[in-house]
């Protein structure tokens, strides 16, 4: 009997240790889920990384080019870099800092220091935070120059691919979120829209064609963004919400989820599904997540 209790205790302790190790691992390392890079030079893959309460989206473009939109908070910088290395890349062709909030640029200093970077785009918005100043210093130290992100700029264009900046459309805003660089990637018949933390004011200002198959909801699914009018213009089949489990902001907000459900749009959330990958050859579109058991 005693031995049985001892054995049971042993099993429980082992399980606890395994659980703790897994929990720590999840915090510092982005699980790529054993997903091999699917890019064969023709496929475009968008990785909406599970980075807690923040945004970081890594994009494998055709012809082995890459793009990174935001780099979450500082503690995720190393994990994001590791994830990109695991996909087989050492260069980022286009680096976008949508706006200078810590949950978007915190990990970017690490990225700037570790990768060869071709072009950086940031909106003309500034803050006085140490995170922002450190990033600017790292950009300078690495001999890079910042290109201004604003509506009307085309980042890349080839036969099948077009990458455009649709916002910001004004020179100044009261709310830093509205400076967010909004990016649209069109590949063949498919399009992806990335909102950063743009709110309803910025959504209203966009006059360009916003129609897209996959929409990264603005501001982590907050009710400040994704108005019903804008959603109707984008008319997506799937919406990705990047937010942290049990975050203090209550993201995604009930209003946003209800509007998406009402419109019959598939919802993918990094807080419940982990990293989400959308891939297209320009015709078919496939979306996978790291948690097939999750409801969506
Ligand atoms: Zn944010």
């Amino acid at each position: 009997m005693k031995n049985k209790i001892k054995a049971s205790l042993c099993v429980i302790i082992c399980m606890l240790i395994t659980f703790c190790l897994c929990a720590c691992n999840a915090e510092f390392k982005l699980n790529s889920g054993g997903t091999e890079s699917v890019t064969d030079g023709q496929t475009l893959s968008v990785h909406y990384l599970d980075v807690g309460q923040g945004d970081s989206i890594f994009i494998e473009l055709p012809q082995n080019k890459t793009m990174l939109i935001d780099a979450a908070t500082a503690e995720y910088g190393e994990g994001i870099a590791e994830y990109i290395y695991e996909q087989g890349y050492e260069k980022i062709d286009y680096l976008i800092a949508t706006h200078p909030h810590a949950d978007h640029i915190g990990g970017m200093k690490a990225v700037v220091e570790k990768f060869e970077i071709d072009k950086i785009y940031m909106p003309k918005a500034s803050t006085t935070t140490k995170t922002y100043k450190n990033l600017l210093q790292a950009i300078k130290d690495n001999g890079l120059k910042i290109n201004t992100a604003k509506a009307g700029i085309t980042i890349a264009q080839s036969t099948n691919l077009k990458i455009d900046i649709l916002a910001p459309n004004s020179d100044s805003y009261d709310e830093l979120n509205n400076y967010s660089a909004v990016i649209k990637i069109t590949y063949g018949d498919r399009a992806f829209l990335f909102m950063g933390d743009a709110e309803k004011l910025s959504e209203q200002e966009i006059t360009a064609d916003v129609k897209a198959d996959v929409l990264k909801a603005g501001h982590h699914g907050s009710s400040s963004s994704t108005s019903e009018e804008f959603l109707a213009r984008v008319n997506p089949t799937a919406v990705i919400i990047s937010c942290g489990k049990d975050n203090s902001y209550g993201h995604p907000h009930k209003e946003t989820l209800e509007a998406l459900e009402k419109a019959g749009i598939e919802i993918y959330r990094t807080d419940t599904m982990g990293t989400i990958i959308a891939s297209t050859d320009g015709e078919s579109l496939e979306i996978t997540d790291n948690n097939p058991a999750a409801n969506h």
Side-chain angles (χ1 to χ4, degrees):
M1 188 67 195
K2 247 188 179 173
N3 276 346
K4 257 194 180 171
I5 292 172
K6 263 189 190 167
S8 304
L9 266 175
C10 249
V11 169
I12 290 168
I13 289 167
C14 283
M15 281 169 75
L16 272 173
I17 290 171
T18 311
F19 175 78
C20 287
L21 281 174
C22 287
C24 291
N25 202 23
E27 195 173 333
F28 294 106
K29 196 171 180 299
L30 283 159
N31 182 10
S32 63
T35 313
E36 292 279 308
S37 169
V38 289
T39 290
D40 48 12
Q42 295 300 318
T43 306
L44 184 144
S45 292
V46 184
H47 304 242
Y48 303 87
L49 304 180
D50 175 15
V51 287
Q53 184 64 16
D55 270 16
S56 186
I57 303 149
F58 175 64
I59 304 155
E60 298 176 86
L61 297 165
Q63 316 302 334
N64 289 316
K65 298 225 173 198
T66 58
M67 184 171 197
L68 182 69
I69 302 176
D70 290 335
T73 47
E75 73 260 38
Y76 286 98
E78 298 285 329
I80 292 166
E82 202 55 43
Y83 186 94
I84 298 171
Y85 287 141
E86 274 176 25
Q87 310 304 312
Y89 299 96
E90 289 175 1
K91 184 181 175 188
I92 294 170
D93 293 280
Y94 312 107
L95 177 63
I96 320 283
T98 60
H99 66 298
H101 272 153
D103 58 323
H104 297 254
I105 62 157
M108 204 168 273
K109 181 173 175 280
V111 171
V112 166
E113 287 168 351
K114 284 172 189 291
F115 290 87
E116 182 191 341
I117 290 163
D118 193 7
K119 281 191 167 150
I120 299 185
Y121 288 88
M122 292 169 88
K124 255 200 169 31
S126 62
T127 54
T128 54
T129 61
K130 209 164 166 243
T131 309
Y132 181 62
K133 282 183 183 163
N134 288 344
L135 173 60
L136 293 185
Q137 191 60 49
I139 290 170
K140 205 174 155 202
D141 291 348
N142 284 273
L144 298 161
K145 172 181 144 278
I146 298 169
N147 298 279
T148 302
K150 61 177 180 185
I153 288 176
T154 297
I155 295 177
Q157 187 165 19
S158 63
T159 333
N160 278 336
L161 177 76
K162 197 160 183 270
I163 306 176
D164 294 304
I165 304 179
L166 309 189
N169 284 273
S170 296
D171 293 330
S172 71
Y173 296 95
D174 292 337
E175 174 56 64
L176 201 55
N177 284 340
N178 280 323
Y179 284 93
S180 286
V182 171
I183 311 285
K184 183 177 180 182
I185 301 181
T186 309
Y187 183 48
D189 297 335
R190 300 294 171 189
F192 298 82
L193 191 62
F194 306 90
M195 299 302 296
D197 280 355
E199 301 188 349
K200 288 174 182 172
L201 171 65
S202 173
E203 292 174 358
Q204 282 167 15
E205 287 181 336
I206 301 174
T207 52
D209 176 13
V210 288
K211 202 170 169 344
D213 299 283
V214 185
L215 167 70
K216 200 294 291 181
H219 199 197
H220 319 285
S222 164
S223 59
S224 64
S225 311
T226 322
S227 68
E228 289 198 35
E229 297 77 13
F230 189 69
L231 200 54
R233 284 176 64 198
V234 180
N235 194 19
T237 53
V239 163
I240 317 285
I241 296 172
S242 185
C243 64
K245 208 165 251 167
D246 303 322
N247 65 80
S248 56
Y249 307 95
H251 294 158
H253 287 154
K254 200 172 89 245
E255 297 88 329
T256 309
L257 293 176
E258 280 172 1
L260 294 174
E261 275 158 21
K262 201 175 118 195
I265 298 163
E266 265 194 88
I267 303 168
Y268 292 83
R269 296 168 54 166
T270 58
D271 60 338
T272 55
M273 300 173 183
T275 292
I276 293 152
I277 303 171
S279 296
T280 182
D281 56 3
E283 290 175 17
S284 63
L285 174 70
E286 194 189 353
I287 304 178
T288 54
D289 59 66
N290 265 339
N291 184 4
N295 283 325
H296 58 82

